[in-house]
Amino acid sequence: MLLLIGTLIGLVLGLTGAGGSVFAVPLLMLLAGIPMSSAVGISLGAVAVSTFYGSLRSFFSKNRSQNILWLPGVILAGVGALTAPLGKWLGLQIPEFWLLIGFNVLALVIAIRMWLSARKNPDAAKVVRAGNFASTPNPGLLCNLSKTGQFELRPRCVSGLLIGGALVGLLSGLFGVGGGFLIVPLLLILSPVSMAQAVSTSLLIIAVVSSSGFISHLFMSTENNWPMFALVAAGGVLGMMLGQAISHKIANALLQKIFAVSLLAVSVLTLVRSVL
């Protein structure tokens, strides 16, 4: 069952541009009966492994230097990695019921965003993490403020990256989510980069931030979840690979809307089951 759950997590991660990792925690709780505190830790580890695999695929693609925005990616990932342990610590201080309420509010926001994004910009829904970015054009660098086209670390740009990275890390450690739902729109807002660049860069950031959150989970938790984590992580990679094979055929606005509705349904069902 855990291998199947991991495969579902990896598949959803691969077939969404942002927000897919939020499926991990409710699936682990609903299908495997794992308490939320453990589900958050396992989710962080499985998402980290899956997105590292996706990042390696992007890095070794034909036009890897154009796909990944390295400098903003490193800033977001570095700050997020520092705040993820704080998010994990905060999660341990909050009663599980209220943590679950907070998670469902976050899931609702992400589901609405996925639906509206698919409705307003259906072409962007075709750009997913398992897609092939090799032939994607590069319209410019993030915060491109110089005449020579070089990235400049000016206050407004850096402050946006620092605040965004801190928030991504906190939410990642707190709820076990990757943060792509925040990273992708942040990159798109700060500069006219392509959706493919934002999604590809988000893979690297999520991998680093989730790894930090998972390591902090290992230090702060006394539970031995390695066998469960190994199965879920292996399934995650399998799911990502499956997503690569079929993403060009089924990735579209309708699929994103289906994911949005499914996320809402799974989250509500998890909450109701926990209350009862």
Side-chain angles (χ1 to χ4, degrees):
M1 177 58 73
L2 289 173
L3 186 64
L4 176 60
I5 294 172
T7 303
L8 289 173
I9 293 171
L11 184 61
V12 175
L13 269 171
L15 294 179
T16 54
S21 61
V22 78
F23 275 89
V25 170
L27 283 178
L28 287 168
M29 294 180 65
L30 193 61
L31 300 182
I34 299 174
M36 187 170 183
S37 58
S38 300
V40 167
I42 295 173
S43 170
L44 286 168
V47 169
V49 172
S50 301
T51 49
F52 260 123
Y53 170 78
S55 298
L56 288 175
R57 180 175 179 269
S58 294
F59 180 78
F60 289 108
S61 65
K62 192 174 182 180
N63 293 333
R64 60 183 180 273
S65 61
Q66 295 182 7
N67 296 334
I68 300 177
L69 303 164
W70 287 104
L71 190 50
V74 168
I75 294 174
L76 285 169
V79 176
L82 291 176
T83 56
L86 176 59
K88 179 60 184 177
W89 178 82
L90 286 173
L92 295 175
Q93 314 309 310
I94 301 174
E96 185 164 312
F97 174 76
W98 293 110
L99 194 63
L100 188 57
I101 292 292
F103 180 90
N104 276 267
V105 172
L106 179 64
L108 175 62
V109 172
I110 295 173
I112 292 174
R113 183 190 173 279
M114 290 175 72
W115 180 278
L116 293 178
S117 177
R119 184 177 179 181
K120 294 180 179 179
N121 191 5
D123 288 336
K126 298 178 182 179
V127 182
V128 296
R129 295 187 178 102
N132 183 5
F133 304 136
S135 59
T136 303
N138 179 7
L141 296 176
L142 183 68
C143 304
N144 182 8
L145 303 176
S146 71
K147 295 181 179 180
T148 59
Q150 298 299 313
F151 180 89
E152 292 187 352
L153 296 177
R154 294 190 178 182
R156 180 180 294 183
C157 179
V158 174
S159 62
L161 293 172
L162 293 177
I163 294 172
L167 188 55
V168 166
L170 283 173
L171 292 177
S172 180
L174 186 61
F175 296 120
V177 297
F181 63 92
L182 185 61
I183 297 168
V184 171
L186 176 65
L187 292 173
L188 294 174
I189 288 172
L190 289 179
S191 181
V193 298
S194 69
M195 183 66 173
Q197 285 178 301
V199 171
S200 185
T201 304
S202 74
L203 274 172
L204 173 67
I205 299 168
I206 293 170
V208 174
V209 174
S210 297
S211 295
S212 173
F214 180 61
I215 292 172
S216 65
H217 169 76
L218 294 179
F219 278 101
M220 296 180 191
S221 175
T222 57
E223 300 173 350
N224 180 14
N225 294 324
W226 281 107
M228 290 187 290
F229 160 70
L231 287 172
V232 177
V237 174
L238 288 175
M240 185 71 78
M241 294 173 66
L242 179 59
Q244 292 173 1
I246 64 176
S247 63
H248 64 286
K249 298 179 180 179
I250 67 172
N252 53 43
L254 177 59
L255 182 64
Q256 294 290 62
K257 290 181 179 180
I258 292 174
F259 279 145
V261 174
S262 300
L263 173 60
L264 188 59
V266 169
S267 298
V268 170
L269 185 58
T270 304
L271 178 61
V272 170
R273 182 176 178 180
S274 298
V275 172
L276 295 178

